[in-house]
Amino acid sequence: MSAAAPTADHDHGHDDHHHDDHHPNFLQKYFFSTDHKTIGIQYGLVSLIFLLIGFCLMMVMRWSIAYPHEPLPEWMSFFFSEDWKARWLQDGMVKGETYNMFGAMHGTIMVFLGVVPLGFAAFGNYVTPLQIGAIDMAFPKLNMMSFWLYFVGGLLMLASFFLNTGAAQSGWTNYSPLAGIQQSGAPNQWMTGQTWWLLAMVFLISSSLLGSVNFITTIINLRAKGLTWMRLPFFVWAMLVTGFLLLLAFPPLEAAALMQLSDRVFGSSFFMPSGLVTGNGALEVAGSGSPLLYQHLFWFLGHPEVYVLLLPAIACVAEIIPCNTRKPLWGYRPMVWSVLILGFLSFIVWAHHMYLTGMGPVISTFFQTTTVLISIPSVILLTSLIISMWGGSIRFTVPMLWATAFIPMFGIGGLTGLPLAFNLVGLHLHDTYYVIGHFHYVVAPGILFGLFAGVYHWYPKVTGRYMNNLLGHLHFWPSLIFINLLFFPMLIQGMAGFHRRWYNGGDAYLAQASESANVFGNTVEQYLPLNILMSNAAFWLALAQLPFIINVFFAWRRGKKVENDNPWNATTLEWATPTPPGHGNFTFEPSVYRGPYEYSRPDSEEDYMPQWHEPSQSEPSPAPVEKESDATVA
Amino acid sequence: MDIPYTVTARKDTGLYNAKVGIWLFLASEVMLFGGLFSGYVFLRVYADFPWPERALPVVPGLINTFILIGSSVTIVFAWAALKMRKWRQFQVFMIITLLCAGLFMVLKGIEYKAKWSHQAVRMKDFVVIEGHTHKATIDNTGHIHHYHPEGEHGEKGHAAIGDEANGMILVAAEGDSHGEEGHHSDEGLTQSEPFEFNRVVFKADSVTVDLEKFYDPVIRDLMKQAQDQGKSIVLTGDLYGRSTHEVDEKLLASKGDLLSLGMLKKLRAVHLDAKAHNAAIKTKQNRKAWAQLRGSLPKDQKGAPSYKIKGDLVLDEEFNKFLVSAPSSVRFEIMDAAEEGTEKTAASATFVLKPREVREGAESSSLRDGTLLEGELDAKHSQIEMAADAIDFRFVAQRAVEKGIDPEVAIQNTWLIKNNPEVKELWAEHKSHIDKLAKELEKHGFDKNGKPKQFPTDTERYRMGWQELVNMGEGKEVMGVFSGFAGPNHKKDYAKHFPEIVVPREETNLESKFTPRWNNYYAIYFLITGLHGLHVIGGALVLGHFLFCGKKMYLNNPERLANRVEVGGLFWHFVDLVWIFLFPILYLM
């Protein structure tokens, strides 16, 4: 007998989650919130803290490179306990294993806990639903879960520093078999930093899986009325592609992490080749595993991950430039197609990280070709951004400064990557500081500058107050100078042959100076003194971040109040909300009537035409957006 | 304020939110399993050992395949019932689905268990012996008892190692219950006992503990084993130390103190404090020296790289007098636990250790936490004793072919054939059987190179499996379909045909149960099926939630519940699909 079939009644359909909508208590409001804006802010703050931690690790490493025989200065070691220093420093100097540990964790923290959560999760969470006119993400509870998984994963990473074995020490790539046998002398393999790295990664991967499912669903299904695909702000397109990259690229790393975990704690040989011998003699493992398999699985994630880092930054810049040049984004449609193609190509370039593994010339050539191909959409994106500024009357607000600096900085990063795409050049440059310089140019002055631009740009919407202008300039100019002093010499040193894993700044290499000369003489030695310049630039760069930290907290309560809900006179939907937006975001049901970058239209009195403004008599009724934007571009 | 499209589909996309979400999630899952399957292909293609083909029991896998396919059908019926608003029908089909999931996991568990209680040894010459390793129990009269399948005393199993009365009183390693009463009777252990693990036996006079690395469970195990033999672990000399220069050196532990975790922890604390103190002093010393050195340089060289100027560094010796010392490792000796007041006498204790947790040597062995045992390895009792249910020469043959040696010669030269007459006999019989088979196959004709078109496979030629062992020689046993349901069957009638093999530890290079450790085939098998099993459990939990907690939503908003079941069903189909790929790849190929 079946129960009487009730009729569907939508009004009662949400009985299981409407109780916390209106009167959340303190915990629900600030900690276990399902509101995309709160989650975005949580992500933002936590990831900024992780960026700071990653930066501190880097300073210790830079000290060891520049002053290899000198004990860590007091100002840098005050936050380590005496016991910890006794374990990890040799008479106050950085030990090789400590350097390795900091190196591995610097990379891990910066990439997985800092930049990705800041770009994709923080900005994506806060801005995407607003820009598409949605009241929240499609799955608010999953969104909250995603944040807490990230948080737990991050804590696990940090906690691993305090284990007896210390944190992971095999580079942020965690290559096997090194990572498989690292710390294998510990009596309990579950309590080693190397194992916790893998466990934490499982948390982070689950977090990004939930996040990306949520983003894509939201963008596909919750767009406001009239917001057709070609009316989406470029930011949303970038988030959509980023979501797909995370969704599809991370799982193979999860597979690799599980295999490595099994190698470590169950003694399997997925990545352990036959006949492996270590300092303790031959390993008692079955063998026949493949270290190359790990690298394939890792870089299958690793390369799309680069674009996961990049796209949110370029997305922020693409919003800020048209707003501050008062011109439409030049080449909106080519940019959209480029970002889609970029997303696709990023899945088939991974093995250019592996030219030196002996994959064979055929495979190398294939990946060399695809790698060169991927520079085409990247260049289209960057060129469009440059041309967007052409002929505009640019307002050099602080966010615009960062966005402007992003372009040449990312340009250097991108162009220095081209030689690395070629496997012959790769033989020479592989594992040198040239590579370090290249990807740091992409990530630090490139991506982070773009994200800083985003922080300054959307801060008024989040808090209702502007960030301080003077502090903003005090942040920007020193950062620009010191970051170049830090990274540009790396390119020079790298070409001279400076190896990326020398913990003592090439000192051991120089001890064998007679053997280290090549046909050009001892090319490394003459560039070693640059280490001191670079390291000091890093320390000054740290100081240059202080104005930012002060600014974020100072402006929160004391900053200048915004005059209206749309302080930058921008066109996209997030500026149609109250400031700061309340629960549910919009006070009216948003409808979209035109493309996202309608600045300086000749037929309009004001120099911008927001997407949500109903067309007036003079404006023709909303035509298909393709023609409209073509006309604007022309 | 509600999220739109949770129940009804959006017009232009034609989808409700959860459906978009589940397809995306499944895409991600495809990449996860895709990564693992790629791993399988990679490992198999580049394997340098004979990849086990059709090594898994097909029957449970096959049954599981049909179970999962069936449950994929019933979940659709359950969804359809909801769409038709037939709650009771929904319940019935959902229960069937969940029962299928449960049955699947039970069969999986049986399969796993059979592997975890089955062991293999790889010899240094790459002979592989599979079977069950004997666990000896040593009773309190000092008799060592071995299990042997016939249940009679002193024939096969006891030929190699006789009883030995040397006064040892041990309990079984790990302190588990199987070594207790009743198992050392003449009837041997019963079949249900997990008699598969072996050990390293070391007779130690002294124990040296590394204070930084020692691990509580290891120390506890040593203390317990010593205590059970009536021995104590005693400190050999007085220990002095201090943690800062401000206090005087004091007695930390005195000669004759018994080993205890409390004592070790106290010593460790002093050691670590002293270490931190010294490090801080030396850091200060170093900093001062560098400040002086940089200060003495001319202005234009103040920023000189440290490697150029470190030669001129002068350390201030004044600091050295603040350095303190404390012991970093402690040496204990084994003593007879004497009566109160009488002098203890030096003795030795026999420790039974797990092979993977010890790096054994003839005179000293180090445990996994760096604890050092000194004394003498009891090589005889550290031997591996097995009732072999398979002897496999494929690896030997493969390596012989790689080196250009005749595989038959290589096999004749293996340690096992040379040292075990019983195996030698079996091998001769097997060979004559295979030669006969090869002759028979020759009637299918020869190819143009003069090679027979059909010939015995490597597995047939070089492996003696358990069924073959049972049926070799005089007695033939009748075996049904289910006699080897989840692996080799060790019931008495069969097991009496399995040769008893004793292998010295130094002749082996890998011993393992059939876990991920044994080889990459089992590693990938356990990883993929384990992950798949987790998906089954997770899916069943979600479906169970719909079944047991869905009534309220059914009454309020049945369409929404139907949507949820549809989404859950899509996931369930995916889980089924993964298995349909898994089964042929792991079980049949």
Side-chain angles (χ1 to χ4, degrees):
Chain A
M1 186 192 109
S2 67
T7 52
D9 184 350
H10 297 187
D11 293 340
H12 300 290
H14 308 282
D15 51 331
D16 49 351
H17 67 77
H18 73 171
H19 53 269
D20 63 356
D21 278 359
H22 301 299
H23 302 290
N25 62 32
F26 181 81
L27 270 185
Q28 283 166 335
K29 194 168 172 192
Y30 295 107
F31 286 87
F32 301 104
S33 172
T34 55
D35 189 310
H36 72 98
K37 297 180 293 296
T38 314
I39 294 172
I41 294 169
Q42 285 174 327
Y43 262 119
L45 289 177
V46 175
S47 59
L48 282 172
I49 291 170
F50 276 117
L51 284 178
L52 190 65
I53 295 171
F55 198 106
C56 292
L57 297 178
M58 177 275 275
M59 287 201 290
V60 173
M61 292 160 68
R62 281 291 350 158
W63 177 271
S64 171
I65 294 168
Y67 306 105
H69 304 286
E70 299 179 39
L72 221 53
E74 272 172 74
W75 63 269
M76 214 185 271
S77 57
F78 76 93
F79 53 91
F80 301 124
S81 76
E82 288 298 320
D83 286 345
W84 202 90
K85 278 189 283 192
R87 168 77 178 85
W88 293 106
L89 300 178
Q90 178 67 49
D91 303 339
M93 296 177 287
V94 178
K95 288 203 254 189
E97 58 174 338
T98 312
Y99 181 90
N100 284 347
M101 174 163 102
F102 278 29
M105 295 309 280
H106 166 75
T108 304
I109 289 176
M110 284 300 197
V111 171
F112 295 113
L113 294 165
V115 180
V116 172
L118 182 61
F120 179 68
F123 282 107
N125 250 311
Y126 199 94
V127 178
T128 311
L130 295 179
Q131 281 200 339
I132 62 171
I135 57 172
D136 205 323
M137 298 287 268
F139 310 112
K141 279 183 191 164
L142 286 191
N143 205 9
M144 177 184 82
M145 217 146 86
S146 165
F147 170 75
W148 285 104
L149 283 173
Y150 157 71
F151 192 75
V152 171
L155 282 189
L156 210 54
M157 284 283 185
L158 287 187
S160 68
F161 276 103
F162 302 99
L163 293 172
N164 278 340
T165 57
Q169 290 162 9
S170 320
W172 79 281
T173 52
N174 228 35
Y175 273 2
S176 274
L178 180 62
I181 57 176
Q182 184 77 267
Q183 301 166 353
S184 59
N188 185 350
Q189 280 304 304
W190 286 105
M191 297 301 281
T192 57
Q194 207 66 50
T195 305
W196 281 28
W197 189 93
L198 296 168
L199 296 176
M201 282 312 287
V202 172
F203 277 96
L204 296 178
I205 293 169
S206 310
S207 159
S208 76
L209 166 69
L210 296 183
S212 53
V213 166
N214 214 341
F215 272 75
I216 301 171
T217 308
T218 308
I219 295 171
I220 289 178
N221 244 22
L222 298 190
R223 280 167 291 124
K225 207 172 117 200
L227 190 55
T228 57
W229 288 102
M230 279 299 154
R231 282 177 180 171
L232 283 181
F234 182 76
F235 185 95
V236 179
W237 274 111
M239 286 299 154
L240 184 69
V241 174
T242 311
F244 272 107
L245 295 186
L246 280 176
L247 184 77
L248 302 178
F250 248 131
L253 180 67
E254 184 151 21
L258 291 173
M259 289 181 183
Q260 202 176 73
L261 190 68
S262 163
D263 277 3
R264 290 189 61 82
V265 299
F266 302 127
S268 59
S269 302
F270 285 116
F271 306 132
M272 299 289 170
S274 295
L276 197 61
V277 176
T278 70
N280 290 330
L283 283 182
E284 245 188 78
V285 294
S288 185
S290 170
L292 200 55
L293 173 62
Y294 179 83
Q295 296 194 16
H296 278 299
L297 291 173
F298 181 87
W299 286 114
F300 189 84
L301 155 88
H303 203 83
E305 179 78 5
V306 173
Y307 294 94
V308 170
L309 300 168
L310 168 66
L311 291 181
I314 222 168
C316 292
V317 172
E319 294 301 297
I320 291 163
I321 285 183
C323 175
N324 286 291
T325 53
R326 315 307 293 165
K327 273 183 65 201
L329 191 63
W330 193 89
Y332 168 77
R333 290 215 295 164
M335 282 182 79
V336 169
W337 286 110
S338 294
V339 81
L340 291 172
I341 291 166
L342 188 85
F344 170 74
L345 283 178
S346 73
F347 280 105
I348 49 168
V349 297
W350 78 86
H352 67 214
H353 296 269
M354 299 159 58
Y355 287 149
L356 251 63
T357 55
M359 301 178 293
V362 177
I363 298 177
S364 291
T365 308
F366 171 80
F367 283 102
Q368 172 177 310
T369 312
T370 53
T371 306
V372 174
L373 276 180
I374 205 172
S375 62
I376 297 172
S378 318
V379 168
I380 292 177
L381 289 176
L382 208 60
T383 313
S384 298
L385 290 175
I386 295 174
I387 300 178
S388 294
M389 292 202 281
W390 185 275
S393 58
I394 303 177
R395 304 188 305 209
F396 275 110
T397 57
V398 174
M400 185 60 185
L401 282 179
W402 290 100
T404 317
F406 165 86
I407 294 174
M409 292 295 106
F410 177 68
I412 295 176
L415 291 174
T416 52
L418 276 178
L420 292 171
F422 296 98
N423 55 51
L424 267 178
V425 190
L427 293 180
H428 175 62
L429 294 177
H430 188 88
D431 264 354
T432 65
Y433 260 81
Y434 183 85
V435 178
I436 306 270
H438 152 67
F439 71 72
H440 277 89
Y441 254 108
V442 173
V443 179
I447 290 162
L448 276 178
F449 274 25
L451 296 177
F452 275 131
V455 172
Y456 284 96
H457 183 67
W458 278 293
Y459 193 90
K461 177 50 69 184
V462 177
T463 61
R465 290 165 192 271
Y466 291 104
M467 285 176 90
N468 185 291
N469 226 20
L470 177 66
L471 287 172
H473 281 273
L474 279 178
H475 179 203
F476 173 71
W477 294 105
S479 292
L480 183 65
I481 293 165
F482 291 126
I483 213 159
N484 279 290
L485 285 178
L486 172 55
F487 293 127
F488 205 83
M490 287 187 182
L491 301 170
I492 300 166
Q493 280 190 330
M495 283 191 273
F498 196 96
H499 194 274
R500 69 185 284 189
R501 312 244 180 240
W502 287 345
Y503 82 94
N504 49 13
D507 190 59
Y509 182 80
L510 282 178
Q512 307 287 323
S514 56
E515 291 165 34
S516 59
N518 56 34
V519 289
F520 301 110
N522 196 329
T523 44
V524 174
E525 189 180 16
Q526 49 184 312
Y527 295 108
L528 278 187
L530 284 175
N531 280 335
I532 292 185
L533 169 74
M534 292 150 73
S535 292
N536 282 299
F539 306 147
W540 285 104
L541 184 62
L543 205 62
Q545 305 312 304
L546 282 183
F548 175 71
I549 298 171
I550 296 169
N551 209 350
V552 166
F553 291 104
F554 174 80
W556 199 284
R557 287 268 173 265
R558 298 283 170 81
K560 193 180 128 206
K561 278 196 174 158
V562 293
E563 306 82 17
N564 56 45
D565 287 339
N566 190 357
W568 307 116
N569 292 341
T571 50
T572 43
L573 269 177
E574 76 268 34
W575 305 103
T577 59
T579 309
H583 198 59
N585 297 342
F586 292 90
T587 48
F588 61 102
E589 192 176 324
S591 292
V592 170
Y593 301 96
R594 56 187 72 77
Y597 304 110
E598 306 269 304
Y599 291 102
S600 303
R601 273 174 65 141
D603 58 349
S604 150
E605 282 173 27
E606 283 188 311
D607 71 343
Y608 68 110
M609 189 78 95
Q611 286 189 291
W612 65 91
H613 277 192
E614 274 187 64
S616 58
Q617 300 295 330
S618 60
E619 191 182 17
S621 59
V625 71
E626 283 82 0
K627 284 176 193 161
E628 201 177 298
S629 61
D630 278 357
T632 338
V633 169
Chain B
M1 202 208 76
D2 291 326
I3 309 279
Y5 314 119
T6 48
V7 181
T8 50
R10 179 180 164 121
K11 274 217 181 86
D12 59 349
T13 61
L15 298 162
Y16 54 87
N17 294 343
K19 205 160 180 176
V20 183
I22 194 72
W23 280 113
L24 292 169
F25 178 68
L26 292 184
S28 177
E29 291 277 67
V30 166
M31 295 305 289
L32 174 63
F33 281 97
L36 291 167
F37 281 121
S38 319
Y40 171 87
V41 172
F42 216 96
L43 291 171
R44 181 162 182 170
V45 168
Y46 293 105
D48 59 10
F49 64 99
W51 191 263
E53 290 168 2
R54 290 180 294 282
L56 297 171
V58 174
V59 178
L62 189 67
I63 297 174
N64 266 347
T65 309
F66 288 116
I67 289 174
L68 271 196
I69 293 177
S71 73
S72 274
V73 175
T74 55
I75 185 89
V76 176
F77 287 164
W79 171 70
L82 265 191
K83 278 288 200 190
M84 294 184 290
R85 307 284 184 264
K86 289 179 178 163
W87 176 254
R88 177 53 58 88
Q89 209 178 334
F90 161 75
Q91 280 181 312
V92 170
F93 282 120
M94 205 52 138
I95 287 171
I96 296 176
T97 309
L98 291 178
L99 286 179
C100 285
L103 200 56
F104 179 90
M105 289 313 295
V106 167
L107 283 176
K108 193 94 258 172
I110 292 172
E111 231 187 281
Y112 276 10
K113 176 122 196 307
K115 291 184 177 49
W116 289 334
S117 59
H118 194 202
Q119 182 149 6
V121 170
R122 191 171 81 193
M123 309 287 289
K124 284 219 166 104
D125 52 19
F126 295 95
V127 175
V128 170
I129 308 166
E130 297 170 17
H132 287 277
T133 314
H134 292 182
K135 182 180 86 172
T137 55
I138 301 174
D139 67 20
N140 51 14
T141 62
H143 283 73
I144 301 179
H145 294 268
H146 299 283
Y147 164 78
H148 55 97
E150 283 160 287
E152 289 159 33
H153 198 266
E155 281 188 40
K156 280 181 162 183
H158 286 231
I161 302 178
D163 292 349
E164 191 174 309
N166 59 359
M168 286 194 296
I169 305 171
L170 302 188
V171 293
E174 297 190 5
D176 61 353
S177 61
H178 305 301
E180 301 300 320
E181 283 300 302
H183 295 155
H184 41 75
S185 69
D186 279 353
E187 288 176 25
L189 304 178
T190 51
Q191 177 53 44
S192 60
E193 296 300 330
F195 52 100
E196 54 289 321
F197 66 86
N198 49 60
R199 69 273 169 78
V200 171
V201 181
F202 193 87
K203 209 168 162 187
D205 316 317
S206 78
V207 178
T208 308
V209 179
D210 182 326
L211 281 180
E212 262 182 54
K213 285 171 68 187
F214 77 85
Y215 184 49
D216 296 9
V218 174
I219 302 292
R220 248 184 243 125
D221 180 45
L222 291 182
M223 293 197 305
K224 182 168 188 315
Q225 291 200 35
Q227 194 185 16
D228 289 339
Q229 296 166 54
K231 305 283 160 67
S232 27
I233 307 177
V234 178
L235 196 61
T236 52
D238 293 341
L239 290 180
Y240 292 91
R242 57 178 174 167
S243 50
T244 73
H245 64 272
E246 284 150 6
V247 297
D248 287 332
E249 215 163 61
K250 63 178 181 199
L251 185 66
L252 300 171
S254 47
K255 185 177 173 181
D257 283 356
L258 288 179
L259 168 66
S260 71
L261 279 174
M263 175 218 263
L264 290 181
K265 280 176 182 161
K266 194 177 121 197
L267 289 173
R268 173 164 64 188
V270 177
H271 163 68
L272 290 180
D273 285 348
K275 194 175 160 187
H277 173 80
N278 288 350
I281 298 287
K282 283 190 173 168
T283 306
K284 273 185 198 147
Q285 182 185 30
N286 239 337
R287 277 202 190 116
K288 187 178 171 195
W290 274 101
Q292 277 174 353
L293 178 60
R294 290 242 182 245
S296 67
L297 290 174
K299 207 166 189 187
D300 57 329
Q301 285 177 31
K302 284 245 188 300
S306 22
Y307 68 88
K308 280 195 175 153
I309 52 176
K310 71 176 177 197
D312 301 330
L313 195 70
V314 185
L315 291 176
D316 186 353
E317 299 294 331
E318 275 298 292
F319 285 93
N320 289 348
K321 68 182 184 204
F322 297 115
L323 297 180
V324 299
S325 70
S328 63
S329 70
V330 196
R331 191 180 142 95
F332 297 88
E333 270 177 2
I334 313 287
M335 300 271 191
D336 271 322
E339 300 278 315
E340 279 288 321
T342 57
E343 190 68 18
K344 290 179 180 171
T345 49
S348 58
T350 307
F351 293 112
V352 179
L353 307 159
K354 287 189 233 169
R356 283 195 63 191
E357 299 184 352
V358 55
R359 201 166 262 278
E360 75 273 13
E363 284 169 2
S364 70
S365 295
S366 64
L367 303 182
R368 58 186 164 137
D369 66 344
T371 303
L372 189 73
L373 301 180
E374 282 170 301
E376 189 190 346
L377 180 72
D378 187 344
K380 201 168 176 189
H381 292 111
S382 300
Q383 297 188 113
I384 300 165
E385 303 154 41
M386 305 181 80
D389 56 32
I391 296 168
D392 198 326
F393 294 111
R394 278 181 297 178
F395 209 168
V396 183
Q398 180 185 316
R399 291 186 66 91
V401 170
E402 281 165 10
K403 286 183 185 162
I405 307 170
D406 179 12
E408 304 289 341
V409 176
I411 292 169
Q412 288 303 336
N413 284 329
T414 56
W415 183 93
L416 186 63
I417 296 283
K418 280 186 174 167
N419 287 280
N420 193 317
E422 193 186 355
V423 175
K424 195 175 178 182
E425 223 169 90
L426 286 170
W427 175 243
E429 191 183 340
H430 170 81
K431 240 171 46 177
S432 71
H433 168 70
I434 289 296
D435 289 344
K436 241 186 273 166
L437 178 67
K439 277 262 157 25
E440 268 175 47
L441 290 174
E442 276 174 10
K443 70 176 179 235
H444 292 284
F446 296 84
D447 64 11
K448 57 182 181 232
N449 297 327
K451 284 188 175 169
K453 279 183 178 166
Q454 288 192 18
F455 48 86
T457 62
D458 274 5
T459 307
E460 285 169 331
R461 191 177 278 282
Y462 298 122
R463 180 183 163 92
M464 297 187 278
W466 73 275
Q467 281 155 319
E468 190 186 350
L469 287 174
V470 168
N471 284 323
M472 266 202 264
E474 64 290 358
K476 296 258 187 267
E477 302 281 345
V478 184
M479 278 183 265
V481 181
F482 290 101
S483 58
F485 183 66
N489 192 332
H490 272 252
K491 80 171 189 180
K492 270 187 186 175
D493 290 348
Y494 299 156
K496 70 183 175 198
H497 298 281
F498 295 154
E500 291 289 320
I501 297 177
V502 180
V503 188
R505 195 163 283 282
E506 65 268 18
E507 291 296 331
T508 68
N509 75 3
L510 186 70
E511 47 177 310
S512 169
K513 295 178 188 173
F514 282 86
T515 58
R517 184 173 149 76
W518 173 236
N519 62 32
N520 274 338
Y521 173 70
Y522 286 99
I524 197 85
Y525 158 76
F526 274 109
L527 190 62
I528 305 191
T529 57
L531 206 60
H532 177 263
L534 286 179
H535 278 71
V536 171
I537 294 171
L541 286 177
V542 172
L543 296 181
H545 175 76
F546 297 154
L547 174 63
F548 297 114
C549 312
K551 183 78 187 205
K552 195 175 150 206
M553 183 180 279
Y554 177 71
L555 295 174
N556 288 331
N557 191 347
E559 194 57 25
R560 188 156 189 223
L561 183 64
N563 283 350
R564 286 190 164 189
V565 172
E566 185 184 5
V567 163
L570 282 172
F571 177 76
W572 198 251
H573 278 61
F574 170 79
V575 173
D576 185 17
L577 192 68
V578 169
W579 181 260
I580 287 172
F581 278 98
L582 274 184
F583 177 64
I585 286 175
L586 291 172
Y587 290 73
L588 303 179
M589 283 169 69

